[in-house]
């Protein structure tokens, strides 16, 4: 029943914590688009793909003390950091979900190293993956115009996705 909750706790544990709500949203979305087993439903919002379901799940997991949410005041904004707790680790064991694959662990580690701005670009491109590459780029330029992504950043995002896909295929 709480299998999807346990997968999210495990995801955050595999990342050794994730700083930023937007970053967490994008990381789970990208993993889902790479065919890792995440079921959250996503819609397109101001910061790209967003799952209200994931937000509620995170809130529930914090309320159950399986995740710890730490507020970090950054002056003009508040940033949130999520960590798996000991109770959360016990919960994932009791839920009897499979350990994350080497490919998923690698994917999580690589995504964690990237900025939330970059992951927003990657997830937006993936959201429009059914379009030809030039149309994907055009859509990003329209819906993310204020972020002024450079051609280099867009190419880096495509390469990043291809590398993750190739790595998943190898493992």
């Amino acid at each position: 029943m709480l299998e999807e909750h346990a997968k999210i706790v495990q995801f955050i544990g595999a990342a050794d914590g994730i700083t930023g709500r937007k970053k967490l949203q994008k990381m789970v979305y990208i993993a889902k688009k790479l065919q890792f087993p995440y079921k959250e439903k996503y819609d397109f919002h101001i910061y790209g793909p967003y799952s209200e379901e994931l937000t509620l799940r995170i809130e529930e997991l914090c309320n159950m003390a399986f995740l710890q949410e730490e507020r970090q005041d950054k002056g003009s904004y508040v940033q949130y950091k999520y960590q798996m707790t000991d109770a959360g680790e016990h919960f994932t064991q009791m839920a009897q979900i499979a350990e994350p694959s080497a490919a998923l662990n690698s994917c999580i580690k690589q995504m964690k190293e990237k900025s939330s701005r970059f992951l927003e670009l990657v997830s937006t491109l993936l959201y429009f993956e059914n379009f030809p590459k030039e149309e994907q780029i055009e859509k990003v330029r329209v819906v993310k115009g204020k972020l002024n992504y450079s051609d280099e950043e867009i190419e880096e995002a495509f390469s990043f996705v291809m590398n993750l896909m190739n790595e998943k295929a190898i493992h």
Side-chain angles (χ1 to χ4, degrees):
M1 181 173 115
L2 293 173
E3 183 179 332
E4 298 309 313
H5 286 71
K7 287 183 197 172
I8 296 302
V9 173
Q10 186 184 63
F11 188 99
I12 292 169
D16 195 24
I18 296 173
T19 301
R21 287 178 170 173
K22 181 168 71 168
K23 187 169 195 166
L24 174 57
Q25 284 274 343
K26 303 315 167 216
M27 287 175 69
V28 173
Y29 179 76
I30 293 166
K32 177 181 174 155
K33 293 301 278 184
L34 292 171
Q35 307 301 311
F36 289 107
Y38 296 95
K39 303 250 186 327
E40 287 73 16
K41 181 181 179 290
Y42 278 80
D43 293 308
F44 200 81
H45 283 264
I46 189 166
Y47 296 115
Y50 169 79
S51 173
E52 194 170 319
E53 216 178 315
L54 178 58
T55 297
L56 292 171
R57 202 162 272 159
I58 295 292
E59 196 175 305
E60 291 167 351
L61 290 164
C62 290
N63 289 339
M64 293 185 274
F66 296 148
L67 290 178
Q68 176 189 347
E69 178 184 76
E70 179 188 326
R71 282 178 58 120
Q72 300 170 330
D73 189 347
K74 299 291 188 181
S76 60
Y77 66 98
V78 174
Q79 190 169 52
Y80 295 85
K81 182 173 183 178
Y82 296 95
Q83 289 281 145
M84 178 171 67
T85 63
D86 291 343
E89 190 167 348
H90 183 70
F91 168 61
T92 60
Q93 291 165 356
M94 295 306 291
Q96 297 181 338
I97 56 172
E99 285 294 313
S101 65
L104 178 56
N105 275 326
S106 175
C107 177
I108 290 170
K109 299 264 185 282
Q110 289 180 60
M111 289 190 293
K112 187 177 175 186
E113 291 172 8
K114 299 294 184 182
S115 69
S116 60
R117 180 182 187 277
F118 181 76
L119 295 176
E120 184 175 342
L121 170 59
V122 170
S123 62
T124 302
L125 286 170
L126 285 170
Y127 191 84
F128 297 119
E129 71 181 349
N130 293 330
F131 292 95
K133 184 176 180 178
E134 291 310 313
E135 280 186 54
Q136 283 178 282
I137 294 169
E138 187 55 38
K139 291 207 175 284
V140 164
R141 296 219 188 279
V142 170
V143 300
K144 298 290 172 195
K146 289 182 180 172
L147 292 175
N148 290 321
Y149 287 114
S150 68
D151 293 341
E152 292 77 24
E153 287 174 304
I154 290 171
E155 279 310 311
E156 183 187 348
F158 277 113
S159 295
F160 183 71
V161 170
M162 287 308 299
N163 289 341
L164 291 177
M165 291 169 83
N166 289 339
E167 205 165 297
K168 184 173 190 274
I170 291 168
H171 283 94

